[in-house]
Amino acid sequence: MVMKDPYETLGVARSATDKEIKEAFKTLARKFHPDLHPADKEAESRFKEISGAHDLLKDKEKRRRFDAGEIDASGAQRPQERFYREFADGPAYASHAARDGFSSNEDLEEFLAQAFGGGGRRPRGAFRAPGQDVSAVLPVAFLDAANGATRTITLMEGKTLQVKIPEGAQDRQMLRLKGQGMPGFGGGPAGDAYVELHVEPHPFFRRKDDNIHVELPVTVKEAVLGAQVQVPTLKGPVAMTIPKGSNTGTTLRLRGKGIRNRKTGESGHLLITLKVVLPAAEEPELAAFLEAWQPKNAEDPRKEMLS
């Protein structure tokens, strides 16, 4: 995946502070999040760019290395030298032997073979060396990381790979794709591709270990009288009963609705914290009732704070 300049993506200057970068990300994330634009592929692509830029710039070391030109916008190492195959097969090979004091290309080939662990004279083309490893960063939607998915990534070298994201993948998890790096020389094995997963934030789900936390708004009536409501989960909405007399901060649990642990095979839980919200519009009848209401058990909810 070819990524744009992260500063340009977030719309901040290169001298921007950590706070300015974080605020710019939050503003853009709210605007382009895929859950707010379910059928808008352009918004989804834009959100991935925003998340990737934020992931790079919020990491002080990666930001330093990017500014220094050591890594690109995807976080991959910039190539510092040419591969041996390119050198050996390139037009400069013939003149390089003479320039470095070797009588022939064969002598240069023998020297390189010995330098890399070979013994004795080898025919031209017999030198074997493994290919170089490559690295890339893959932004992953929160639900894709939780449930597992397959995504396509294009490396800087132009190679396209299918990446299988395991169920329950974590942020900054590194996947190794064996043999998908640069080709070896002289029949040597290909290098590996290392893909670092950057899990994007979700509008309301938060992960902690194998548990998922979510804050659920409920009406005053639902909290006081109890109700059956629809609750979002990683696999889609499910019905849940809110007990009578619930309050803001009440936490309910849906067992097994969290992240499945690949080692134990067991799933975490969905922990739902209720948040009582008042109606957005005026409710004269509710206001009139509260004015006349005399609670039997009057309590000061701020008592402990003021004592």
Side-chain angles (χ1 to χ4, degrees):
M1 178 178 293
V2 179
M3 301 182 70
K4 300 178 181 178
D5 184 288
Y7 294 102
E8 180 182 342
T9 299
L10 294 180
V12 298
R14 289 186 173 270
S15 58
T17 63
D18 293 342
K19 182 178 180 181
E20 290 172 337
I21 290 172
K22 184 176 182 180
E23 290 177 350
F25 167 71
K26 284 185 175 181
T27 299
L28 292 172
R30 284 193 293 266
K31 182 178 180 182
F32 292 102
H33 199 284
D35 288 347
L36 302 178
H37 308 276
D40 191 338
K41 295 296 183 182
E42 184 175 347
E44 179 181 357
S45 177
R46 182 80 171 101
F47 182 78
K48 290 181 178 179
E49 290 180 356
I50 294 166
S51 297
H54 178 246
D55 286 337
L56 188 146
L57 295 183
K58 74 177 182 181
D59 187 311
K60 294 185 182 297
E61 176 62 15
K62 286 187 176 181
R63 183 180 180 183
R64 182 198 67 77
R65 295 186 66 197
F66 175 79
D67 291 343
E70 297 176 7
I71 60 175
D72 61 21
S74 71
Q77 183 79 25
R78 292 186 183 276
Q80 300 297 319
E81 58 186 7
R82 299 179 63 190
F83 298 109
Y84 176 77
R85 168 186 281 190
E86 295 176 11
F87 169 73
D89 294 341
Y93 187 89
S95 61
H96 208 87
R99 188 175 72 235
D100 289 347
F102 295 93
S103 59
S104 67
N105 289 342
E106 286 72 19
D107 288 342
L108 175 58
E109 185 94 12
E110 179 182 2
F111 170 78
L112 291 174
Q114 291 176 347
F116 283 92
R121 178 178 294 275
R122 299 187 182 191
R124 177 171 172 79
F127 176 71
R128 300 176 73 252
Q132 189 178 53
D133 294 339
V134 297
S135 61
V137 172
L138 177 61
V140 180
F142 186 95
L143 293 179
D144 285 344
N147 297 321
T150 299
R151 292 291 177 264
T152 301
I153 186 172
T154 301
L155 305 177
M156 288 188 62
E157 296 76 16
K159 186 175 184 179
T160 300
L161 301 176
Q162 292 291 316
V163 180
K164 185 176 181 180
I165 302 167
E167 181 181 2
Q170 299 189 32
D171 188 36
R172 297 298 192 269
Q173 181 173 339
M174 187 72 74
L175 303 181
R176 178 192 178 195
L177 305 182
K178 189 174 181 180
Q180 297 300 322
M182 299 301 295
F185 174 76
D192 300 329
Y194 290 89
V195 180
E196 186 178 45
L197 305 180
H198 285 195
V199 180
E200 300 165 347
H202 195 274
F204 39 85
F205 288 133
R206 298 290 179 270
R207 178 177 180 175
K208 186 174 182 181
D209 299 325
D210 293 332
N211 295 326
I212 296 295
H213 296 254
V214 62
E215 188 176 70
L216 183 72
V218 295
T219 67
V220 174
K221 185 175 181 179
E222 291 169 337
V224 174
L225 302 180
Q228 188 173 72
V229 299
Q230 292 290 308
V231 178
T233 74
L234 299 178
K235 304 291 187 181
V238 299
M240 184 190 72
T241 299
I242 297 176
K244 291 182 179 180
S246 295
N247 205 342
T248 292
T250 298
T251 299
L252 307 176
R253 180 177 65 177
L254 290 181
R255 298 179 62 86
K257 296 296 184 182
I259 301 291
R260 188 176 73 87
N261 189 299
R262 293 175 59 84
K263 294 182 179 179
T264 65
E266 298 180 355
S267 296
H269 310 306
L270 179 66
L271 300 176
I272 303 152
T273 301
L274 303 183
K275 179 181 180 182
V276 181
V277 295
L278 294 174
E282 292 186 5
E283 292 287 346
E285 292 181 359
L286 177 60
F289 167 77
L290 292 175
E291 288 177 356
W293 179 45
Q294 295 296 328
K296 294 181 180 180
N297 301 303
E299 296 181 358
D300 182 358
R302 297 169 294 279
K303 181 179 180 180
E304 294 184 2
M305 298 175 64
L306 302 175
S307 60

